[in-house]
Amino acid sequence: MTIDTINISSSVLLSLLRHTSEHYPQLYSGALVGFEDESLIDITNVFPFPYPDQYEGGSFKSRSGSQYQKDLLENYKKLGYGIEFQGWFQSTISGNFITQQLIEALAQQQLINSNIFILIHDMSSLNQEVNLKAIRLSQGFMKTYQDGKWKSKDLENNKISYINIFSELNLVISNQKLVDLYLSSINKPIQENFENLNLLSNQNSTFQLLDSLNSQIDSFNYDQNNFNYYQRQYQKENSKIQQWKQQRKLENLERQKKGEKELDTEEWKQIFKLPSEPSRLNNLLCSQSIDIFADDIIKQCDEELKKSLIIERKLQA
Amino acid sequence: MSSFMHLVRPNVLAPAVSSQNTGPISVKIHSSALLTMLEIVSKQVLNNKRVLGSLLGYRNEDGLLIEIRDAFMVPINENGDSITIDEPIHKSIYQLYKKSHPKEMVLGWFGSSNKIDDNTSLIHDFYSKGVDRAYPHPAIYLNIEYLNEQGQIISPKIMTYIGANIGQRSGTTNVSIGWKTTTINNSYIFTPVPNEIINNTISEKIAFNKFTKQNITNNTSVSSEVSNLSHLEEQLNNLQENIKIMIKFIESTNEQDRSKDENIDLIRQLSNSILNKPQLLTNPENLTKLFNDHNQDVIMIEYLTKAIKDQIELSSRLTAAAEAGKDTRQM
C-alpha cells in the first residue's frame, strides 16, 4: 500500500512558490524532503536545484542535481532532523510537465520507494491563482513500465490509458502551532489583487496554451503516423498470409483428390513475418499532455465567458 | 505593530559601514522565511533549549535595506555562560544554499528568547566576524518572542536588532565559539530596527492570504487545502462582499456624517470612477457588437478544444479495439 496524503508545511509551500514564481518563465525543480508517517508523508524542507531546467524533469537524473540533493540532505540530517528524500517539485506550464525524462526519473525512484511523488506547480495562470497538484505514477503504469513493452495488449492488461498515467494524491497544508498563533495575530489581510476580474486577464496565457497545444498535437501526429504505417504494413502482410492460406487450402484439396499427402498449413509462419506493434508510450504521454492542455484552455474560456455574462447583464440593464 | 522614531542611529562599527550612511535601516522579512523560523523555534517550545539559526538574503549597496529571504537552523551547545556554535554545519549549508541562490548572503542570525543576555552578545559576535558570516557588514539579530513574563505562550512577536559594539576590545573571556577559542568581544548594545513582513510574488500572496483566512475562520484547524480552488469564484465573492459593505456603509450614514470630509472624498472617488468611462462606452451599439464577437471567438476556441479532447479519446479507444481484434483474427 502506498501513502496517499501529502502533508506540506506552510513555510515549504511559500518558499517553493516564491522560487518558482520569481524565476518565471524559467522552469525550476528541486527536492522535497521530510519523513514518512504511517498514513501521511510530511514535507518539512525544500531544496531547489541550482540551475533552471531546459525541460521538465531535466535535473532529476543529472549528476550535479542528484549530488546537490545528496549533499544537502546529509547536512540537514546533522541538524537532528530525521529527514529523507520524499519527492521532487517541478514548475511547468499546464500539460508540459509530461516529458519522457520526468516519467523515467519518477518511475525509477518509485521502483526504489513506492511512496515517492512529484509536486507540480502549474504556472499557466500565474499571478491569478496557485495551481498545485501532488501526483505519482499509477500502479498500472508502473506494472507496464516494468514489462517495458508498451504494446496495446499490455496497456489493456494493466488497465492503463492516457487518463490514468498518474494518480493524484491529497495535498494538505499544515502549520506548526506557533505558525498558527502568528497567523491568527495578523488582523490585516494583505491587499487582494483583483487583476483576474478583468475580462481579458486570461488572454496571454490562453494564447500560450493554444500554442503549446498545437505543438503537442504535432508530436502526437508524428507518433500516430508511425503507428499508421505499422497498421498498413500489418494489413498488407496479413492479406498476403490470407492469400497464401487460401492457396494452400486449394492445393490441399487438389492433393486430397489425388490421394497425396497434405502440405503443412502452418508453413506461412516461416515465410511471412508480421510487423510488431511499436511502443505506445509516446502516444500515451502526448495524449495525456493534450488532454491537460485542453482542460486548462476550456477552464480559462469558461472563466472568461462567466465574466462576459456578468458584463453583458450590466450592458443590458 | 511597533512604530519607530530614529532619533539616534545605532553607531555600528563594521568596515562596510561608511560614516556618510546615516539613513535608517529597514528590514524586510519574506513570509516564507518567517514561517521557516517559526517552525524551527517550535522545537524550542518542546525542550526549552536555545535554538538559533542563520539568516540569509539580500542587502542593498548602502546596507540600509535588508531583505531576509530564508533561514536555517544551526546546532549549538549551550553550557552556562559558554556557547558552542557548530560552525562547520553553518558553513557547509550556507555554501550549498549559495549554489542555488548565488546572490544571497548571510545577514545575521535569529533566535528566540525573552531577554538579551551575555550569550546573545557571544552569538552576535560570532555572526559579526569571519568569512561566510555577515562580515564586513553589521549582523542583524532577529528575535522571536513567544513567551510572556509569566512564561505563557503568546502570539509570536518579531523584533529585529542591529548590534553596536561598545566598550573596549579587551572584554575578552576564554569562551569557545565555533571550534576555536578566539578573542571575542561580548559587549554589544542592541538597537531595534523596524521590520516588515512581505510577500514578494502574487502566488505567495494568494497562498498567504489563504493561510490567514483559514486560520481566522477555523482557528482549530491545522490543515487547509489550496489546490483546485477556483480563485475567480472566490474573488467574485470577495468583490460582492466589498460592494455590500460599501452599500451598507452608505445607507447607514446619517445626515451629519454625510458632510464629513472623508465621506465626501469617498463619494467623489466613487463618482469619478463611475464617470470615467472609456471612449467605447459612448457608442453602445459598436461596443455590443465587439463584445458579442469576442464572446463568439471564445466559444469557438472552447468548442474546437473540446473537439480535440474527444478526438484524442476516440483515437485511444479505436486503437485499443483494433489491436485487441488482431489476436483473435490470427488464431
Side-chain angles (χ1 to χ4, degrees):
Chain A
M1 274 307 279
T2 50
I3 302 175
D4 291 343
T5 300
I6 310 291
N7 211 350
I8 185 165
S9 82
S10 41
S11 70
V12 170
L13 190 79
L14 284 179
S15 303
L16 189 155
L17 289 178
R18 195 192 69 208
H19 201 81
T20 49
S21 311
E22 273 182 355
H23 288 100
Y24 178 83
Q26 276 181 321
L27 300 175
Y28 263 89
S29 56
L32 294 169
V33 302
F35 44 88
E36 247 178 65
D37 213 334
E38 272 166 25
S39 58
L40 47 88
I41 296 168
D42 238 317
I43 301 301
T44 57
N45 290 84
V46 54
F47 307 129
F49 289 131
Y51 307 106
D53 298 326
Q54 243 130 39
Y55 46 82
E56 286 83 349
S59 300
F60 297 159
K61 288 182 79 187
S62 80
R63 193 172 298 169
S64 65
S66 43
Q67 186 60 40
Y68 185 69
Q69 183 178 313
K70 218 176 103 203
D71 288 348
L72 266 165
L73 204 57
E74 264 168 34
N75 274 291
Y76 267 77
K77 276 188 182 163
K78 287 185 203 150
L79 300 183
Y81 300 120
I83 52 172
E84 295 290 342
F85 170 71
Q86 303 293 352
W88 288 299
F89 75 87
Q90 174 74 60
S91 66
T92 188
I93 301 288
S94 190
N96 266 340
F97 69 93
I98 303 175
T99 62
Q100 292 263 10
Q101 289 81 4
L102 184 137
I103 302 284
E104 178 71 26
L106 191 59
Q108 287 192 3
Q109 285 297 328
Q110 279 186 225
L111 284 181
I112 301 167
N113 174 357
S114 57
N115 282 329
I116 296 294
F117 71 101
I118 186 162
L119 187 66
I120 301 289
H121 180 201
D122 170 11
M123 301 194 289
S124 58
S125 333
L126 189 76
N127 295 346
Q128 298 194 44
E129 61 184 20
V130 177
N131 211 329
L132 287 168
K133 61 182 169 198
I135 51 175
R136 73 165 69 100
L137 296 169
S138 65
Q139 279 175 353
F141 186 91
M142 286 305 289
K143 269 191 206 138
T144 330
Y145 175 81
Q146 275 166 297
D147 295 343
K149 291 203 195 71
W150 301 108
K151 307 245 187 262
S152 292
K153 202 171 54 177
D154 304 317
L155 303 184
E156 185 60 34
N157 288 343
N158 291 317
K159 297 268 170 282
I160 276 293
S161 81
Y162 68 95
I163 300 287
N164 58 3
I165 297 176
F166 296 103
S167 46
E168 192 159 345
L169 314 171
N170 308 321
L171 187 62
V172 179
I173 317 298
S174 69
N175 297 329
Q176 298 264 16
K177 286 283 177 248
L178 215 52
V179 175
D180 267 336
L181 255 180
Y182 168 75
L183 290 177
S184 47
S185 72
I186 316 171
N187 40 22
K188 186 179 67 174
I190 307 164
Q191 189 57 47
E192 284 265 3
N193 173 27
F194 284 106
E195 167 60 24
N196 58 344
L197 293 181
N198 266 341
L199 177 62
L200 299 180
S201 68
N202 283 336
Q203 202 174 34
N204 286 339
S205 70
T206 311
F207 253 0
Q208 205 188 357
L209 288 180
L210 284 170
D211 227 30
S212 309
L213 178 67
N214 261 336
S215 59
Q216 277 296 344
I217 291 175
D218 282 347
S219 28
F220 176 88
N221 279 340
Y222 179 80
D223 189 75
Q224 193 63 33
N225 277 339
N226 286 344
F227 192 77
N228 289 345
Y229 176 76
Y230 146 77
Q231 281 187 318
R232 276 198 305 275
Q233 286 304 103
Y234 185 95
Q235 228 137 40
K236 238 194 243 165
E237 287 298 301
N238 201 33
S239 63
K240 276 189 205 160
I241 292 170
Q242 298 305 332
Q243 245 170 17
W244 184 92
K245 280 184 180 169
Q246 197 66 29
Q247 211 164 1
R248 177 114 318 174
K249 224 182 193 171
L250 291 174
E251 225 173 303
N252 278 342
L253 277 175
E254 272 318 270
R255 279 167 169 265
Q256 234 171 7
K257 278 181 204 162
K258 287 183 196 163
E260 284 174 45
K261 201 181 159 220
E262 282 182 35
L263 290 170
D264 185 12
T265 47
E266 294 297 305
E267 211 185 321
W268 64 270
K269 282 182 181 162
Q270 276 121 53
I271 306 170
F272 300 102
K273 198 170 181 293
L274 280 171
S276 69
E277 191 189 353
S279 157
R280 302 294 291 152
L281 179 59
N282 263 335
N283 177 279
L284 272 191
L285 301 187
C286 283
S287 303
Q288 168 68 356
S289 182
I290 290 171
D291 199 56
I292 296 177
F293 273 117
D295 281 344
D296 284 342
I297 292 166
I298 292 170
K299 175 180 159 249
Q300 293 198 345
C301 287
D302 273 345
E303 284 182 358
E304 194 158 326
L305 285 176
K306 211 177 278 172
K307 287 184 265 185
S308 273
L309 287 178
I310 299 170
I311 297 171
E312 201 169 16
R313 234 186 283 164
K314 285 284 161 218
L315 275 182
Q316 285 161 355
Chain B
M1 264 282 116
S2 328
S3 44
F4 286 82
M5 184 163 69
H6 290 271
L7 285 179
V8 185
R9 189 178 169 274
N11 189 11
V12 179
L13 288 171
V17 178
S18 85
S19 53
Q20 275 120 36
N21 290 341
T22 49
I25 289 182
S26 78
V27 178
K28 287 188 169 153
I29 308 167
H30 283 249
S31 57
S32 55
L34 180 66
L35 296 193
T36 306
M37 288 186 267
L38 284 169
E39 277 166 22
I40 295 170
V41 166
S42 292
K43 291 179 195 301
Q44 183 175 324
V45 182
L46 291 174
N47 55 19
N48 206 23
K49 270 188 183 162
R50 190 194 286 268
V51 171
L52 62 86
S54 306
L55 298 173
L56 301 156
Y58 302 143
R59 184 188 274 110
N60 75 346
E61 268 170 35
D62 57 14
L64 296 180
L65 192 71
I66 287 163
E67 220 179 279
I68 299 172
R69 291 168 59 87
D70 215 332
F72 62 87
M73 188 180 121
V74 178
I76 52 159
N77 199 344
E78 196 175 18
N79 198 348
D81 54 2
S82 87
I83 185 163
T84 322
I85 297 172
D86 196 336
E87 195 202 340
I89 285 204
H90 161 79
K91 196 169 171 157
S92 54
I93 292 185
Y94 171 58
Q95 294 294 357
L96 286 168
Y97 181 82
K98 190 106 180 131
K99 277 190 193 169
S100 48
H101 308 83
K103 285 179 199 147
E104 298 182 31
M105 51 192 131
V106 175
L107 299 171
W109 64 288
F110 72 93
S112 165
S113 94
N114 36 11
K115 62 178 193 297
I116 289 173
D117 54 18
D118 281 354
N119 283 354
T120 316
S121 295
L122 289 177
I123 301 161
H124 201 77
D125 199 60
F126 169 82
Y127 276 97
S128 305
K129 293 167 182 169
V131 279
D132 291 333
R133 288 170 232 163
Y135 185 85
H137 298 276
I140 295 291
Y141 165 42
L142 186 149
N143 190 38
I144 297 170
E145 196 183 323
Y146 66 90
L147 287 176
N148 65 10
E149 277 151 18
Q150 285 82 44
Q152 289 159 323
I153 292 181
I154 51 167
S155 56
K157 268 191 268 180
I158 290 95
M159 290 290 279
T160 36
Y161 300 91
I162 183 158
N165 228 317
I166 50 161
Q168 290 175 295
R169 273 230 166 267
S170 63
T172 54
T173 36
N174 278 335
V175 196
S176 65
I177 214 157
W179 296 106
K180 282 173 281 187
T181 308
T182 39
T183 333
I184 48 166
N185 190 326
N186 59 2
S187 320
Y188 278 91
I189 181 165
F190 291 97
T191 317
V193 287
N195 64 60
E196 183 193 356
I197 316 293
I198 60 161
N199 282 292
N200 209 26
T201 61
I202 297 173
S203 307
E204 288 166 81
K205 267 183 206 160
I206 295 170
F208 194 79
N209 265 346
K210 194 137 249 160
F211 295 162
T212 47
K213 255 183 227 154
Q214 220 101 31
N215 218 279
I216 291 163
T217 51
N218 188 1
N219 220 344
T220 52
S221 98
V222 211
S223 59
S224 53
E225 217 151 318
V226 255
S227 54
N228 290 336
L229 231 161
S230 167
H231 194 57
L232 177 69
E233 193 180 313
E234 198 184 305
Q235 290 219 309
L236 286 173
N237 287 339
N238 277 348
L239 185 70
Q240 230 154 18
E241 201 57 34
N242 281 351
I243 293 172
K244 256 186 221 157
I245 293 171
M246 175 69 88
I247 292 172
K248 207 173 160 195
F249 176 78
I250 292 172
E251 280 172 350
S252 68
T253 41
N254 53 30
E255 285 292 332
Q256 284 175 332
D257 284 346
R258 260 172 227 172
S259 48
K260 269 190 189 163
D261 274 357
E262 58 203 52
N263 286 343
I264 289 176
D265 263 357
L266 182 73
I267 298 286
R268 200 170 286 146
Q269 242 176 27
L270 277 176
S271 60
N272 274 351
S273 54
I274 293 169
L275 292 174
N276 264 345
K277 53 185 180 185
Q279 198 65 39
L280 262 177
L281 275 176
T282 52
N283 186 349
E285 267 164 49
N286 198 11
L287 177 68
T288 314
K289 188 185 172 306
L290 284 173
F291 191 72
N292 286 336
D293 285 354
H294 176 77
N295 284 353
Q296 287 305 319
D297 288 350
V298 176
I299 291 167
M300 187 56 137
I301 293 176
E302 194 165 342
Y303 173 73
L304 289 175
T305 313
K306 276 187 179 144
I308 291 171
K309 224 174 116 78
D310 291 344
Q311 289 232 345
I312 292 290
E313 192 183 340
L314 200 61
S315 158
S316 155
R317 281 171 191 263
L318 284 178
T319 316
E323 290 300 315
K326 271 177 191 167
D327 291 338
T328 50
R329 225 185 302 149
Q330 274 312 314
M331 291 301 126

